[in-house]
Amino acid sequence: MEKLSRIFGRIVQAVPPVFGVILITFLLTRALPGDPAVFFAGLMADEDTIAQIRAELGLDHSLPVQFLYYLRDLLHGDLGNSLSTGRPVLTELMSRLPASLELTLAGLLLSMAIAIPLGVLAATRPGSWVDHLCRVLVTAGVSLPTFFTGLFLIYIFYYLLGWAPSPLGRLDFLYLSPPQVTGFYSIDAALAGDWEVFWASLRQMILPAITLSLFALAPIARMTRAAMLAALSGEYVRTARANGLGGARVIWVYAFRNAALPVLTTLGMVFSFLLGANVLVEKVFSWPGIGSYAIGALVASDYAAVQGFVLCMALLFVVVNLFIDVVLTLIDPRIGLES
Amino acid sequence: MKRRDFLRAGSATIGGAALLPFLRALPASAAAGDDTLLVVIGDTINSLDLHRTGTNRPSYQVAVNIYDRLVRFGTKTLEDGTIAYDSTVIEPEIAESWEVAEDGKSITFKISPKAKFWDGSQVTAEDVKWSFDRAVTLGGFPLTQMKAGSMSSPEQFVVVDEMTFRVDLPAPSKLALPDLAVPVPLVINSKVAMEHATEDDPWATEYLHENPAGSGPYKVTRWDAGQQFVYERNEDWALGTLPPMKRVIVREVPSAATRRALLERGDVDFYMDVPSKDAKEMAESGVAKVEGAPIDNCLHVLGLNVAMAPFDNKLVRQAIAFALPYEDILAAGAYGRGKPMWGGTEGTPSTTEWPQPFPYATDLEKAKALMEEAGFADGFETTLSYNLGLADWMEPTALLIQESLAKIGITATLDKIPGANWRTAALVEKRLPMHLENFGGWLNYPDYYFYWAYIEGHLFNSSNYSNPEIASLVEETLTMETDDPAYEPNIKRMIEIAFEDVPRIPLYQPYLDAAMKPEVEGYVSWFHRQLAVTNMAKG
């Protein structure tokens, strides 16, 4: 019961930040430099056409009125129309978010698969070659800008060796996208039983996912190592060892379960960060993701699209953190299952 | 790569169709075959309807390829073998013939019976009128462009009978006919569009945004916003030679480095809008063919705002024109892909050629002397603004200018302006003291350039230049035929004043470069700077 009420309380707590985000994005987008009416009227438009467009955009109302209209539309699930693409923002986000999510999740899983064992090993053998390898990878991951890693990988594996497929986005010219179910091409293709497209979409993902994972490696490995060191020096580990428990059991059940808490929190942060911050990776690999969409919208002062993007990211952030908090509540050994 | 070779072999032996059921592929024969052209572009298109509010410039290429106009420009082959459009030749398209009234105040077009929309119906004068009405009514850029040809209101477009259409003009103008060959006055299938028009949206902008209805040589069969679009040839097109390419796939690849790698690896056939640096290197290495022609009526200039001291002083402007490192700018900013516009020998032009080199060249001694004469022997401080959206050539150029001006005592602070704010700052408020600008006129007449860039209050006159003589010359010349006896002296006088006053210092005339596989042929360099696929072929 205690767990359930904790979880419920946590969900309720997520509501005010969402409202705050709505208000702040609304104000921030209004404070953006540049006048969208002028921008969309085109280079050669005159005063009248600009005024006409301003009225069409509803920009001739006062700010509070504009905000009320915005809230009303939100309640109807209407994020407005993106002026630059001429399509509803919701449709636009729905088609682009899965692309980013698929890539980000692939990158994150890859980096977890490398960083967590590496961090654990480095913590159990501080000063050994594993520890040094960990340090080198972490430093490289943090210091190499993603667009550089991306271009470098393309140069080696596509341009010189020809092993990787053309960096043309989610699928090469040869393929059509699978029928949409989840929006993740690999999953959709697998569901449709179309293994050709499945492999094609996986292959397209390899280089960008490696690029992203190199970047995500650093915080995860560092955090795992630090948390494991702290846990291993804990009294409960000493007690467990004193009681003669086996090395692996001590490390994975006693130490790692405790160390997992900060690692999970870091994962949540890294995930949200990657999702929004992989714009450069998207550009380099022509990935039709949400980051490049947001940049385009920002440059065009496309209010609706920017608001939609920030709102979507904020909701994702809230949901991911909520999810992680719930998982933490479930695995935290200090909150006993019996109570 | 191996997979693709396998596919190519597979489709050759088994036949493309046999592969289709298990491959959810674009017709596999397509991606490999000789009748499909793979193109990469750096920008993203945002609409299939040019008239819509907010349609961006890259989207114009769709209008160019899928719609027909009453008339079109011809093409010519330049000395170096590059094909470019010819602003002096106007060919029939939807109109099989036309006649200008004796008083020059109307043009009557006979519509070709061969002009058929994609649904097979005849193009009629009603369709033309509806489309032109739409262009002038929706406002924004289409209206402005129509106005350049003296067309601004629906009453000017008259349906004489089903196959005859007339444009009435308030006064004769040499710009009217060429203005009907630019991308804007495209002809839409009004019957199809009207079926999807609503009370709020009488011009079917919602529908035509994603569903074009035209008669052109290509149709768009697929558009994945933000990723790619596919042109498919209209096999029934009879208004010209049937285009060689059956299908053209255009992929949006934002990173220039990736685009170049794709072309060099041979995975794509054609790449438009190549940064000058890549154009130069690819041409030199020979891995790809680079073709480009100087863009007609377009100049990259350094603008000096004459409404602000000390640029109100002609001597200061001339001093700066003598202090610019032209050769370095062309080499570093444009990697040589431009036509020099400095070092002219005549103070008074002997031809009406435009653009032509201005009588300035890098001469620091002369610049210093002029500065002293102007009373600025110790120099002054100012800012040099440029558009971040065009940083690839503006940034190196600005740095070179800054460095060179320091030698004559002018301290210029660089001011980077984000692309979204550029128009307001430079063109609307005209508040930038010294700035880089790149206006190019679609209609290739010197007076048209002067109309936009040298008349007080006009949009591209970012220098706030005002000269009653130029104003009256332009007004008199703009609609005048080029064989009018007054035309030549008027143009020469305008250019002479521009030489003397230099509110805009030309740096060079830029090239529009495209890179392609060696076997790709038929690329035409157009004034609208878009890819027209009609002539493209793969040898």
mmCIF file with all atom_site columns, all heavy atoms in Angstrom, chain A residues 43 84 158-159 168 171-172 175-176 284 299, chain B residues 3-4 24-25 46 251 258 264 267 420 459:
data_model
loop_
_atom_site.group_PDB
_atom_site.id
_atom_site.type_symbol
_atom_site.label_atom_id
_atom_site.label_alt_id
_atom_site.label_comp_id
_atom_site.label_asym_id
_atom_site.label_entity_id
_atom_site.label_seq_id
_atom_site.pdbx_PDB_ins_code
_atom_site.Cartn_x
_atom_site.Cartn_y
_atom_site.Cartn_z
_atom_site.occupancy
_atom_site.B_iso_or_equiv
_atom_site.pdbx_formal_charge
_atom_site.auth_seq_id
_atom_site.auth_comp_id
_atom_site.auth_asym_id
_atom_site.auth_atom_id
_atom_site.pdbx_PDB_model_num
ATOM 1   N N   . LEU A 1 43  ? 9.972  37.245 -48.751 1.00 0.00 ? 43  LEU A N   1
ATOM 2   C CA  . LEU A 1 43  ? 10.967 38.300 -48.862 1.00 0.00 ? 43  LEU A CA  1
ATOM 3   C C   . LEU A 1 43  ? 10.407 39.579 -49.478 1.00 0.00 ? 43  LEU A C   1
ATOM 4   O O   . LEU A 1 43  ? 10.816 40.680 -49.157 1.00 0.00 ? 43  LEU A O   1
ATOM 5   C CB  . LEU A 1 43  ? 12.120 37.770 -49.725 1.00 0.00 ? 43  LEU A CB  1
ATOM 6   C CG  . LEU A 1 43  ? 13.498 38.296 -49.400 1.00 0.00 ? 43  LEU A CG  1
ATOM 7   C CD1 . LEU A 1 43  ? 13.804 38.116 -47.936 1.00 0.00 ? 43  LEU A CD1 1
ATOM 8   C CD2 . LEU A 1 43  ? 14.516 37.573 -50.242 1.00 0.00 ? 43  LEU A CD2 1
ATOM 9   N N   . SER A 1 84  ? 5.572  26.448 -41.103 1.00 0.00 ? 84  SER A N   1
ATOM 10  C CA  . SER A 1 84  ? 6.638  26.168 -42.051 1.00 0.00 ? 84  SER A CA  1
ATOM 11  C C   . SER A 1 84  ? 6.380  24.885 -42.817 1.00 0.00 ? 84  SER A C   1
ATOM 12  O O   . SER A 1 84  ? 6.775  24.767 -43.955 1.00 0.00 ? 84  SER A O   1
ATOM 13  C CB  . SER A 1 84  ? 7.996  26.135 -41.351 1.00 0.00 ? 84  SER A CB  1
ATOM 14  O OG  . SER A 1 84  ? 7.957  25.256 -40.284 1.00 0.00 ? 84  SER A OG  1
ATOM 15  N N   . TYR A 1 158 ? 31.677 4.325  -44.303 1.00 0.00 ? 158 TYR A N   1
ATOM 16  C CA  . TYR A 1 158 ? 30.899 4.444  -45.536 1.00 0.00 ? 158 TYR A CA  1
ATOM 17  C C   . TYR A 1 158 ? 31.793 4.845  -46.701 1.00 0.00 ? 158 TYR A C   1
ATOM 18  O O   . TYR A 1 158 ? 31.888 4.159  -47.707 1.00 0.00 ? 158 TYR A O   1
ATOM 19  C CB  . TYR A 1 158 ? 29.769 5.458  -45.345 1.00 0.00 ? 158 TYR A CB  1
ATOM 20  C CG  . TYR A 1 158 ? 29.118 5.857  -46.640 1.00 0.00 ? 158 TYR A CG  1
ATOM 21  C CD1 . TYR A 1 158 ? 28.378 4.931  -47.367 1.00 0.00 ? 158 TYR A CD1 1
ATOM 22  C CD2 . TYR A 1 158 ? 29.262 7.139  -47.157 1.00 0.00 ? 158 TYR A CD2 1
ATOM 23  C CE1 . TYR A 1 158 ? 27.800 5.272  -48.572 1.00 0.00 ? 158 TYR A CE1 1
ATOM 24  C CE2 . TYR A 1 158 ? 28.697 7.481  -48.363 1.00 0.00 ? 158 TYR A CE2 1
ATOM 25  C CZ  . TYR A 1 158 ? 27.962 6.549  -49.070 1.00 0.00 ? 158 TYR A CZ  1
ATOM 26  O OH  . TYR A 1 158 ? 27.405 6.884  -50.264 1.00 0.00 ? 158 TYR A OH  1
ATOM 27  N N   . TYR A 1 159 ? 32.502 5.962  -46.517 1.00 0.00 ? 159 TYR A N   1
ATOM 28  C CA  . TYR A 1 159 ? 33.236 6.537  -47.639 1.00 0.00 ? 159 TYR A CA  1
ATOM 29  C C   . TYR A 1 159 ? 34.448 5.678  -48.022 1.00 0.00 ? 159 TYR A C   1
ATOM 30  O O   . TYR A 1 159 ? 34.637 5.344  -49.183 1.00 0.00 ? 159 TYR A O   1
ATOM 31  C CB  . TYR A 1 159 ? 33.674 7.952  -47.291 1.00 0.00 ? 159 TYR A CB  1
ATOM 32  C CG  . TYR A 1 159 ? 34.272 8.704  -48.446 1.00 0.00 ? 159 TYR A CG  1
ATOM 33  C CD1 . TYR A 1 159 ? 33.442 9.260  -49.422 1.00 0.00 ? 159 TYR A CD1 1
ATOM 34  C CD2 . TYR A 1 159 ? 35.640 8.853  -48.577 1.00 0.00 ? 159 TYR A CD2 1
ATOM 35  C CE1 . TYR A 1 159 ? 33.977 9.936  -50.497 1.00 0.00 ? 159 TYR A CE1 1
ATOM 36  C CE2 . TYR A 1 159 ? 36.179 9.540  -49.644 1.00 0.00 ? 159 TYR A CE2 1
ATOM 37  C CZ  . TYR A 1 159 ? 35.345 10.088 -50.605 1.00 0.00 ? 159 TYR A CZ  1
ATOM 38  O OH  . TYR A 1 159 ? 35.874 10.748 -51.663 1.00 0.00 ? 159 TYR A OH  1
ATOM 39  N N   . LEU A 1 168 ? 21.518 7.979  -45.440 1.00 0.00 ? 168 LEU A N   1
ATOM 40  C CA  . LEU A 1 168 ? 20.391 8.643  -46.088 1.00 0.00 ? 168 LEU A CA  1
ATOM 41  C C   . LEU A 1 168 ? 19.157 8.652  -45.215 1.00 0.00 ? 168 LEU A C   1
ATOM 42  O O   . LEU A 1 168 ? 18.052 8.668  -45.717 1.00 0.00 ? 168 LEU A O   1
ATOM 43  C CB  . LEU A 1 168 ? 20.070 7.897  -47.381 1.00 0.00 ? 168 LEU A CB  1
ATOM 44  C CG  . LEU A 1 168 ? 20.794 8.389  -48.625 1.00 0.00 ? 168 LEU A CG  1
ATOM 45  C CD1 . LEU A 1 168 ? 20.546 7.450  -49.776 1.00 0.00 ? 168 LEU A CD1 1
ATOM 46  C CD2 . LEU A 1 168 ? 20.354 9.789  -48.990 1.00 0.00 ? 168 LEU A CD2 1
ATOM 47  N N   . LEU A 1 171 ? 15.841 4.814  -44.128 1.00 0.00 ? 171 LEU A N   1
ATOM 48  C CA  . LEU A 1 171 ? 15.886 3.726  -45.098 1.00 0.00 ? 171 LEU A CA  1
ATOM 49  C C   . LEU A 1 171 ? 16.548 4.212  -46.380 1.00 0.00 ? 171 LEU A C   1
ATOM 50  O O   . LEU A 1 171 ? 16.414 5.379  -46.737 1.00 0.00 ? 171 LEU A O   1
ATOM 51  C CB  . LEU A 1 171 ? 14.476 3.226  -45.422 1.00 0.00 ? 171 LEU A CB  1
ATOM 52  C CG  . LEU A 1 171 ? 13.774 2.346  -44.392 1.00 0.00 ? 171 LEU A CG  1
ATOM 53  C CD1 . LEU A 1 171 ? 12.352 2.091  -44.819 1.00 0.00 ? 171 LEU A CD1 1
ATOM 54  C CD2 . LEU A 1 171 ? 14.508 1.035  -44.190 1.00 0.00 ? 171 LEU A CD2 1
ATOM 55  N N   . ASP A 1 172 ? 17.216 3.329  -47.059 1.00 0.00 ? 172 ASP A N   1
ATOM 56  C CA  . ASP A 1 172 ? 17.851 3.677  -48.322 1.00 0.00 ? 172 ASP A CA  1
ATOM 57  C C   . ASP A 1 172 ? 16.772 3.871  -49.397 1.00 0.00 ? 172 ASP A C   1
ATOM 58  O O   . ASP A 1 172 ? 15.614 3.527  -49.197 1.00 0.00 ? 172 ASP A O   1
ATOM 59  C CB  . ASP A 1 172 ? 18.805 2.539  -48.708 1.00 0.00 ? 172 ASP A CB  1
ATOM 60  C CG  . ASP A 1 172 ? 19.851 2.998  -49.707 1.00 0.00 ? 172 ASP A CG  1
ATOM 61  O OD1 . ASP A 1 172 ? 19.689 4.114  -50.238 1.00 0.00 ? 172 ASP A OD1 1
ATOM 62  O OD2 . ASP A 1 172 ? 20.815 2.259  -49.948 1.00 0.00 ? 172 ASP A OD2 1
ATOM 63  N N   . TYR A 1 175 ? 14.048 1.101  -50.344 1.00 0.00 ? 175 TYR A N   1
ATOM 64  C CA  . TYR A 1 175 ? 12.955 0.564  -49.530 1.00 0.00 ? 175 TYR A CA  1
ATOM 65  C C   . TYR A 1 175 ? 11.866 1.592  -49.264 1.00 0.00 ? 175 TYR A C   1
ATOM 66  O O   . TYR A 1 175 ? 12.120 2.782  -49.194 1.00 0.00 ? 175 TYR A O   1
ATOM 67  C CB  . TYR A 1 175 ? 13.491 0.063  -48.187 1.00 0.00 ? 175 TYR A CB  1
ATOM 68  C CG  . TYR A 1 175 ? 14.614 -0.901 -48.347 1.00 0.00 ? 175 TYR A CG  1
ATOM 69  C CD1 . TYR A 1 175 ? 15.928 -0.459 -48.323 1.00 0.00 ? 175 TYR A CD1 1
ATOM 70  C CD2 . TYR A 1 175 ? 14.360 -2.245 -48.565 1.00 0.00 ? 175 TYR A CD2 1
ATOM 71  C CE1 . TYR A 1 175 ? 16.978 -1.344 -48.502 1.00 0.00 ? 175 TYR A CE1 1
ATOM 72  C CE2 . TYR A 1 175 ? 15.395 -3.140 -48.742 1.00 0.00 ? 175 TYR A CE2 1
ATOM 73  C CZ  . TYR A 1 175 ? 16.701 -2.686 -48.709 1.00 0.00 ? 175 TYR A CZ  1
ATOM 74  O OH  . TYR A 1 175 ? 17.724 -3.564 -48.890 1.00 0.00 ? 175 TYR A OH  1
ATOM 75  N N   . LEU A 1 176 ? 10.671 1.063  -49.063 1.00 0.00 ? 176 LEU A N   1
ATOM 76  C CA  . LEU A 1 176 ? 9.566  1.911  -48.608 1.00 0.00 ? 176 LEU A CA  1
ATOM 77  C C   . LEU A 1 176 ? 9.350  1.630  -47.134 1.00 0.00 ? 176 LEU A C   1
ATOM 78  O O   . LEU A 1 176 ? 9.639  0.537  -46.649 1.00 0.00 ? 176 LEU A O   1
ATOM 79  C CB  . LEU A 1 176 ? 8.298  1.562  -49.380 1.00 0.00 ? 176 LEU A CB  1
ATOM 80  C CG  . LEU A 1 176 ? 8.277  2.006  -50.841 1.00 0.00 ? 176 LEU A CG  1
ATOM 81  C CD1 . LEU A 1 176 ? 6.942  1.678  -51.459 1.00 0.00 ? 176 LEU A CD1 1
ATOM 82  C CD2 . LEU A 1 176 ? 8.534  3.494  -50.943 1.00 0.00 ? 176 LEU A CD2 1
ATOM 83  N N   . VAL A 1 284 ? 23.693 15.040 -39.588 1.00 0.00 ? 284 VAL A N   1
ATOM 84  C CA  . VAL A 1 284 ? 24.758 14.340 -40.299 1.00 0.00 ? 284 VAL A CA  1
ATOM 85  C C   . VAL A 1 284 ? 24.228 13.086 -40.992 1.00 0.00 ? 284 VAL A C   1
ATOM 86  O O   . VAL A 1 284 ? 24.616 12.776 -42.109 1.00 0.00 ? 284 VAL A O   1
ATOM 87  C CB  . VAL A 1 284 ? 25.902 13.994 -39.320 1.00 0.00 ? 284 VAL A CB  1
ATOM 88  C CG1 . VAL A 1 284 ? 26.879 13.042 -39.966 1.00 0.00 ? 284 VAL A CG1 1
ATOM 89  C CG2 . VAL A 1 284 ? 26.610 15.258 -38.894 1.00 0.00 ? 284 VAL A CG2 1
ATOM 90  N N   . VAL A 1 299 ? 14.257 28.569 -36.161 1.00 0.00 ? 299 VAL A N   1
ATOM 91  C CA  . VAL A 1 299 ? 14.811 29.520 -37.118 1.00 0.00 ? 299 VAL A CA  1
ATOM 92  C C   . VAL A 1 299 ? 13.691 30.272 -37.825 1.00 0.00 ? 299 VAL A C   1
ATOM 93  O O   . VAL A 1 299 ? 13.790 31.455 -38.100 1.00 0.00 ? 299 VAL A O   1
ATOM 94  C CB  . VAL A 1 299 ? 15.712 28.782 -38.132 1.00 0.00 ? 299 VAL A CB  1
ATOM 95  C CG1 . VAL A 1 299 ? 16.090 29.699 -39.268 1.00 0.00 ? 299 VAL A CG1 1
ATOM 96  C CG2 . VAL A 1 299 ? 16.957 28.278 -37.432 1.00 0.00 ? 299 VAL A CG2 1
ATOM 97  N N   . ARG B 2 3   ? 24.678 -5.570 -51.762 1.00 0.00 ? 3   ARG B N   1
ATOM 98  C CA  . ARG B 2 3   ? 23.264 -5.876 -51.838 1.00 0.00 ? 3   ARG B CA  1
ATOM 99  C C   . ARG B 2 3   ? 22.628 -5.223 -53.051 1.00 0.00 ? 3   ARG B C   1
ATOM 100 O O   . ARG B 2 3   ? 21.807 -5.806 -53.741 1.00 0.00 ? 3   ARG B O   1
ATOM 101 C CB  . ARG B 2 3   ? 22.582 -5.350 -50.582 1.00 0.00 ? 3   ARG B CB  1
ATOM 102 C CG  . ARG B 2 3   ? 21.926 -6.431 -49.769 1.00 0.00 ? 3   ARG B CG  1
ATOM 103 C CD  . ARG B 2 3   ? 21.071 -5.787 -48.725 1.00 0.00 ? 3   ARG B CD  1
ATOM 104 N NE  . ARG B 2 3   ? 20.067 -4.952 -49.379 1.00 0.00 ? 3   ARG B NE  1
ATOM 105 C CZ  . ARG B 2 3   ? 19.025 -5.439 -49.986 1.00 0.00 ? 3   ARG B CZ  1
ATOM 106 N NH1 . ARG B 2 3   ? 18.824 -6.712 -50.026 1.00 0.00 ? 3   ARG B NH1 1
ATOM 107 N NH2 . ARG B 2 3   ? 18.169 -4.634 -50.559 1.00 0.00 ? 3   ARG B NH2 1
ATOM 108 N N   . ARG B 2 4   ? 23.058 -3.956 -53.242 1.00 0.00 ? 4   ARG B N   1
ATOM 109 C CA  . ARG B 2 4   ? 22.447 -3.253 -54.359 1.00 0.00 ? 4   ARG B CA  1
ATOM 110 C C   . ARG B 2 4   ? 22.847 -3.888 -55.687 1.00 0.00 ? 4   ARG B C   1
ATOM 111 O O   . ARG B 2 4   ? 22.041 -4.029 -56.578 1.00 0.00 ? 4   ARG B O   1
ATOM 112 C CB  . ARG B 2 4   ? 22.862 -1.790 -54.337 1.00 0.00 ? 4   ARG B CB  1
ATOM 113 C CG  . ARG B 2 4   ? 22.312 -1.074 -55.529 1.00 0.00 ? 4   ARG B CG  1
ATOM 114 C CD  . ARG B 2 4   ? 22.375 0.384  -55.338 1.00 0.00 ? 4   ARG B CD  1
ATOM 115 N NE  . ARG B 2 4   ? 21.802 0.776  -54.066 1.00 0.00 ? 4   ARG B NE  1
ATOM 116 C CZ  . ARG B 2 4   ? 21.995 1.959  -53.559 1.00 0.00 ? 4   ARG B CZ  1
ATOM 117 N NH1 . ARG B 2 4   ? 22.728 2.838  -54.176 1.00 0.00 ? 4   ARG B NH1 1
ATOM 118 N NH2 . ARG B 2 4   ? 21.451 2.282  -52.428 1.00 0.00 ? 4   ARG B NH2 1
ATOM 119 N N   . ARG B 2 24  ? 9.417  -4.639 -49.846 1.00 0.00 ? 24  ARG B N   1
ATOM 120 C CA  . ARG B 2 24  ? 8.574  -3.440 -49.894 1.00 0.00 ? 24  ARG B CA  1
ATOM 121 C C   . ARG B 2 24  ? 9.420  -2.318 -50.439 1.00 0.00 ? 24  ARG B C   1
ATOM 122 O O   . ARG B 2 24  ? 9.708  -1.347 -49.779 1.00 0.00 ? 24  ARG B O   1
ATOM 123 C CB  . ARG B 2 24  ? 8.072  -3.085 -48.500 1.00 0.00 ? 24  ARG B CB  1
ATOM 124 C CG  . ARG B 2 24  ? 6.966  -3.989 -48.043 1.00 0.00 ? 24  ARG B CG  1
ATOM 125 C CD  . ARG B 2 24  ? 6.360  -3.423 -46.803 1.00 0.00 ? 24  ARG B CD  1
ATOM 126 N NE  . ARG B 2 24  ? 5.933  -2.043 -47.013 1.00 0.00 ? 24  ARG B NE  1
ATOM 127 C CZ  . ARG B 2 24  ? 4.806  -1.724 -47.622 1.00 0.00 ? 24  ARG B CZ  1
ATOM 128 N NH1 . ARG B 2 24  ? 4.023  -2.636 -48.098 1.00 0.00 ? 24  ARG B NH1 1
ATOM 129 N NH2 . ARG B 2 24  ? 4.485  -0.454 -47.750 1.00 0.00 ? 24  ARG B NH2 1
ATOM 130 N N   . ALA B 2 25  ? 9.872  -2.496 -51.633 1.00 0.00 ? 25  ALA B N   1
ATOM 131 C CA  . ALA B 2 25  ? 10.850 -1.562 -52.167 1.00 0.00 ? 25  ALA B CA  1
ATOM 132 C C   . ALA B 2 25  ? 10.196 -0.622 -53.148 1.00 0.00 ? 25  ALA B C   1
ATOM 133 O O   . ALA B 2 25  ? 9.180  -0.941 -53.737 1.00 0.00 ? 25  ALA B O   1
ATOM 134 C CB  . ALA B 2 25  ? 11.943 -2.344 -52.858 1.00 0.00 ? 25  ALA B CB  1
ATOM 135 N N   . ASN B 2 46  ? 8.474  22.479 -48.012 1.00 0.00 ? 46  ASN B N   1
ATOM 136 C CA  . ASN B 2 46  ? 7.380  22.457 -47.045 1.00 0.00 ? 46  ASN B CA  1
ATOM 137 C C   . ASN B 2 46  ? 6.006  22.552 -47.680 1.00 0.00 ? 46  ASN B C   1
ATOM 138 O O   . ASN B 2 46  ? 5.017  22.676 -46.975 1.00 0.00 ? 46  ASN B O   1
ATOM 139 C CB  . ASN B 2 46  ? 7.578  23.531 -45.970 1.00 0.00 ? 46  ASN B CB  1
ATOM 140 C CG  . ASN B 2 46  ? 7.465  24.921 -46.527 1.00 0.00 ? 46  ASN B CG  1
ATOM 141 O OD1 . ASN B 2 46  ? 7.175  25.118 -47.691 1.00 0.00 ? 46  ASN B OD1 1
ATOM 142 N ND2 . ASN B 2 46  ? 7.674  25.913 -45.691 1.00 0.00 ? 46  ASN B ND2 1
ATOM 143 N N   . ARG B 2 251 ? 16.005 13.295 -52.258 1.00 0.00 ? 251 ARG B N   1
ATOM 144 C CA  . ARG B 2 251 ? 16.177 13.054 -50.832 1.00 0.00 ? 251 ARG B CA  1
ATOM 145 C C   . ARG B 2 251 ? 16.708 14.313 -50.162 1.00 0.00 ? 251 ARG B C   1
ATOM 146 O O   . ARG B 2 251 ? 17.580 14.988 -50.713 1.00 0.00 ? 251 ARG B O   1
ATOM 147 C CB  . ARG B 2 251 ? 17.220 11.965 -50.607 1.00 0.00 ? 251 ARG B CB  1
ATOM 148 C CG  . ARG B 2 251 ? 16.726 10.586 -50.375 1.00 0.00 ? 251 ARG B CG  1
ATOM 149 C CD  . ARG B 2 251 ? 16.057 10.371 -49.053 1.00 0.00 ? 251 ARG B CD  1
ATOM 150 N NE  . ARG B 2 251 ? 15.347 9.100  -49.101 1.00 0.00 ? 251 ARG B NE  1
ATOM 151 C CZ  . ARG B 2 251 ? 15.660 8.039  -48.369 1.00 0.00 ? 251 ARG B CZ  1
ATOM 152 N NH1 . ARG B 2 251 ? 16.621 8.096  -47.506 1.00 0.00 ? 251 ARG B NH1 1
ATOM 153 N NH2 . ARG B 2 251 ? 14.977 6.928  -48.486 1.00 0.00 ? 251 ARG B NH2 1
ATOM 154 N N   . THR B 2 258 ? 27.810 15.051 -45.892 1.00 0.00 ? 258 THR B N   1
ATOM 155 C CA  . THR B 2 258 ? 27.173 13.784 -46.237 1.00 0.00 ? 258 THR B CA  1
ATOM 156 C C   . THR B 2 258 ? 26.762 13.772 -47.704 1.00 0.00 ? 258 THR B C   1
ATOM 157 O O   . THR B 2 258 ? 26.950 12.789 -48.413 1.00 0.00 ? 258 THR B O   1
ATOM 158 C CB  . THR B 2 258 ? 25.936 13.558 -45.350 1.00 0.00 ? 258 THR B CB  1
ATOM 159 O OG1 . THR B 2 258 ? 26.293 13.759 -43.988 1.00 0.00 ? 258 THR B OG1 1
ATOM 160 C CG2 . THR B 2 258 ? 25.393 12.164 -45.508 1.00 0.00 ? 258 THR B CG2 1
ATOM 161 N N   . GLU B 2 264 ? 30.225 11.260 -54.147 1.00 0.00 ? 264 GLU B N   1
ATOM 162 C CA  . GLU B 2 264 ? 31.543 10.722 -54.471 1.00 0.00 ? 264 GLU B CA  1
ATOM 163 C C   . GLU B 2 264 ? 31.553 9.204  -54.426 1.00 0.00 ? 264 GLU B C   1
ATOM 164 O O   . GLU B 2 264 ? 32.290 8.561  -55.164 1.00 0.00 ? 264 GLU B O   1
ATOM 165 C CB  . GLU B 2 264 ? 32.604 11.319 -53.533 1.00 0.00 ? 264 GLU B CB  1
ATOM 166 C CG  . GLU B 2 264 ? 32.815 12.800 -53.814 1.00 0.00 ? 264 GLU B CG  1
ATOM 167 C CD  . GLU B 2 264 ? 34.075 13.355 -53.172 1.00 0.00 ? 264 GLU B CD  1
ATOM 168 O OE1 . GLU B 2 264 ? 34.740 12.620 -52.424 1.00 0.00 ? 264 GLU B OE1 1
ATOM 169 O OE2 . GLU B 2 264 ? 34.384 14.537 -53.430 1.00 0.00 ? 264 GLU B OE2 1
ATOM 170 N N   . ASP B 2 267 ? 26.491 6.855  -54.861 1.00 0.00 ? 267 ASP B N   1
ATOM 171 C CA  . ASP B 2 267 ? 25.172 6.379  -54.450 1.00 0.00 ? 267 ASP B CA  1
ATOM 172 C C   . ASP B 2 267 ? 24.051 7.328  -54.855 1.00 0.00 ? 267 ASP B C   1
ATOM 173 O O   . ASP B 2 267 ? 22.887 6.975  -54.775 1.00 0.00 ? 267 ASP B O   1
ATOM 174 C CB  . ASP B 2 267 ? 25.133 6.152  -52.929 1.00 0.00 ? 267 ASP B CB  1
ATOM 175 C CG  . ASP B 2 267 ? 25.872 4.881  -52.564 1.00 0.00 ? 267 ASP B CG  1
ATOM 176 O OD1 . ASP B 2 267 ? 26.066 4.052  -53.469 1.00 0.00 ? 267 ASP B OD1 1
ATOM 177 O OD2 . ASP B 2 267 ? 26.255 4.718  -51.400 1.00 0.00 ? 267 ASP B OD2 1
ATOM 178 N N   . ALA B 2 420 ? 16.469 34.468 -39.385 1.00 0.00 ? 420 ALA B N   1
ATOM 179 C CA  . ALA B 2 420 ? 15.071 34.865 -39.217 1.00 0.00 ? 420 ALA B CA  1
ATOM 180 C C   . ALA B 2 420 ? 14.934 36.381 -39.021 1.00 0.00 ? 420 ALA B C   1
ATOM 181 O O   . ALA B 2 420 ? 13.884 36.950 -39.295 1.00 0.00 ? 420 ALA B O   1
ATOM 182 C CB  . ALA B 2 420 ? 14.451 34.128 -38.037 1.00 0.00 ? 420 ALA B CB  1
ATOM 183 N N   . LEU B 2 459 ? 12.497 47.417 -51.459 1.00 0.00 ? 459 LEU B N   1
ATOM 184 C CA  . LEU B 2 459 ? 12.920 46.407 -50.491 1.00 0.00 ? 459 LEU B CA  1
ATOM 185 C C   . LEU B 2 459 ? 14.422 46.146 -50.463 1.00 0.00 ? 459 LEU B C   1
ATOM 186 O O   . LEU B 2 459 ? 15.039 46.147 -49.408 1.00 0.00 ? 459 LEU B O   1
ATOM 187 C CB  . LEU B 2 459 ? 12.174 45.108 -50.762 1.00 0.00 ? 459 LEU B CB  1
ATOM 188 C CG  . LEU B 2 459 ? 12.319 44.083 -49.651 1.00 0.00 ? 459 LEU B CG  1
ATOM 189 C CD1 . LEU B 2 459 ? 11.674 44.581 -48.380 1.00 0.00 ? 459 LEU B CD1 1
ATOM 190 C CD2 . LEU B 2 459 ? 11.718 42.765 -50.063 1.00 0.00 ? 459 LEU B CD2 1
#
